Amino acid sequence: MIALGAGSLGGSCCECTIPKNCSVNTEAFWGFNGGGLQRERKDFGVPPNLCYKNSTNLNGLRISTYCGGGNRNPLSSLSRMTYLNGEGQNPTPHGTEDSSNLKEMDVNHHSMRTVGNSTNIVWQECSVGKAERQKLLQQKGCVIWITGLSGSGKSTLACSLSRQLHCRGKLTYILDGDNVRHGLNKDLSFKAEDRAENIRRIGEVAKLFADAGVICIASLISPYRRDRDACRAMLPEGTFIEVFMNMPLEVCEARDSKGLYKLARAGKIKGFTGIDDPYEPPVNCEIVVEQKDGVCSSPTAMAEQVVAYLEDNGFLQA
């Protein structure tokens, strides 16, 4: 088995020297013992006040060294080792790792888990984290969730907002309710339970975009409050921005660009939100877009309202 110590790492597989004033922290690694591939685990924690020194790859291990200056006490510094892939073969090259990611590299992530119907799964960490992606993009990832009746202007706002942010050099992506049903959610109907699953899937995808540092704009009716709140709970606090298109039903029905209200009134569409299925308005949304003196704002003005919120809350800078 690979031998570990405060001064060096060695064994039948490989040999590497670690600075004398650094100790070793092994989260999860593989070594050979009598020709068999085995896993060993040692957790020593990360002492405070350490500075990142370097990172290297060694036979499928990422070795990140943290030193406490000239102090020779092995407990004042360490080298963090993480196995790079879960199969014990073909290690993948990794870059250096910033010390700000130490919290994200918690050893508990390496435990086998059961999530839903998925068993024996392990969370795979990467040396490039959300903070680094946001710094690259010069923005903060978030989800702008635009909700409201059909015809309330959700897609219009989403496209105008995306254009304004694009002109500012900000990266966005729109998850439009109808568009997502062309692919990912094409197996779902408009029954209550399928609508809930539709929202859940879009929420999970939106969360991934936000984690990538992208400003994700989700535009869909999402009529049920509990489903929207469940999506909010998926994201870090403050990064789910709910925008309520508070337009009267008669205005939305008068627009009826898709002809859906007419079909619903004729009984040709069942379970249509606002006609024979309820819409539950948000209780504590971040932004409300509504008429002023009976006049609807222009797409540009609506987008500017959202952009102002993003600016005020620091989303347009890293």
Side-chain angles (χ1 to χ4, degrees):
M1 182 63 74
I2 297 177
L4 299 176
S8 65
L9 167 69
S12 60
C13 299
C14 46
E15 184 170 350
C16 175
T17 300
I18 294 175
K20 292 181 179 180
N21 64 325
C22 292
S23 61
V24 170
N25 175 286
T26 304
E27 288 183 342
F29 72 94
W30 297 85
F32 288 94
N33 185 0
L37 194 61
Q38 296 187 1
R39 187 178 190 187
E40 173 131 336
R41 186 188 195 113
K42 294 183 185 297
D43 305 313
F44 299 104
V46 182
N49 303 320
L50 298 187
C51 298
Y52 172 78
K53 184 169 183 179
N54 58 37
S55 180
T56 186
N57 299 326
L58 180 63
N59 232 41
L61 302 177
R62 179 171 64 245
I63 306 174
S64 300
T65 305
Y66 297 84
C67 298
N71 191 338
R72 297 277 177 168
N73 182 350
L75 293 180
S76 70
S77 52
L78 59 86
S79 195
R80 174 180 287 265
M81 300 177 62
T82 307
Y83 188 65
L84 294 184
N85 69 39
E87 302 300 328
Q89 300 174 355
N90 303 323
T92 305
H94 277 237
T96 58
E97 169 189 339
D98 188 273
S99 59
S100 63
N101 291 330
L102 283 177
K103 186 175 182 180
E104 297 179 8
M105 299 284 291
D106 187 87
V107 68
N108 290 331
H109 280 319
H110 296 278
S111 303
M112 288 290 185
R113 294 181 176 182
T114 296
V115 181
N117 292 326
S118 298
T119 59
N120 299 321
I121 58 175
V122 179
W123 184 269
Q124 178 62 52
E125 293 288 359
C126 179
S127 59
V128 178
K130 182 178 180 180
E132 292 163 297
R133 292 189 287 271
Q134 292 183 148
K135 185 176 180 180
L136 179 68
L137 295 171
Q138 286 299 295
Q139 63 186 48
K140 290 185 176 68
C142 64
V143 174
I144 301 170
W145 193 279
I146 306 174
T147 177
L149 294 171
S150 178
S152 61
K154 299 182 300 298
S155 296
T156 299
L157 171 57
C159 292
S160 180
L161 176 60
S162 180
R163 172 55 59 185
Q164 283 202 28
L165 292 173
H166 178 80
C167 291
R168 288 169 170 251
K170 304 304 176 184
L171 184 61
T172 67
Y173 193 84
I174 297 174
L175 294 174
D176 180 85
D178 280 3
N179 289 359
V180 176
R181 282 183 177 272
H182 277 75
L184 177 64
N185 292 347
K186 65 183 179 182
D187 59 320
L188 300 177
S189 70
F190 286 90
K191 297 177 185 177
E193 59 271 23
D194 279 1
R195 281 188 157 184
E197 175 61 12
N198 177 61
I199 300 305
R200 187 196 69 80
R201 292 183 192 179
I202 293 176
E204 290 286 359
V205 173
K207 179 179 72 171
L208 294 177
F209 272 110
D211 186 61
V214 175
I215 298 172
C216 181
I217 306 169
S219 168
L220 57 164
I221 295 173
S222 45
Y224 308 133
R225 193 177 297 124
R226 68 179 181 275
D227 297 333
R228 299 191 304 266
D229 289 346
C231 291
R232 180 186 291 273
M234 294 179 188
L235 283 97
E237 186 175 355
T239 60
F240 184 93
I241 304 162
E242 191 172 23
V243 181
F244 175 34
M245 302 298 293
N246 187 18
M247 299 295 167
L249 175 61
E250 56 270 21
V251 171
C252 299
E253 191 168 356
R255 292 171 177 172
D256 201 15
S257 59
K258 301 175 184 177
L260 298 177
Y261 282 101
K262 185 177 180 179
L263 292 173
R265 292 291 188 189
K268 296 181 179 180
I269 297 178
K270 300 296 183 182
F272 190 78
T273 302
I275 303 301
D276 58 348
D277 203 66
Y279 176 83
E280 300 172 356
V283 176
N284 293 306
C285 60
E286 282 72 18
I287 301 171
V288 178
V289 177
E290 55 191 350
Q291 292 179 319
K292 295 180 180 178
D293 299 323
V295 178
C296 297
S297 300
S298 68
T300 298
M302 291 190 297
E304 287 174 347
Q305 183 179 350
V306 180
V307 170
Y309 179 92
L310 295 176
E311 285 184 322
D312 292 345
N313 288 275
F315 288 102
L316 302 186
Q317 58 189 26

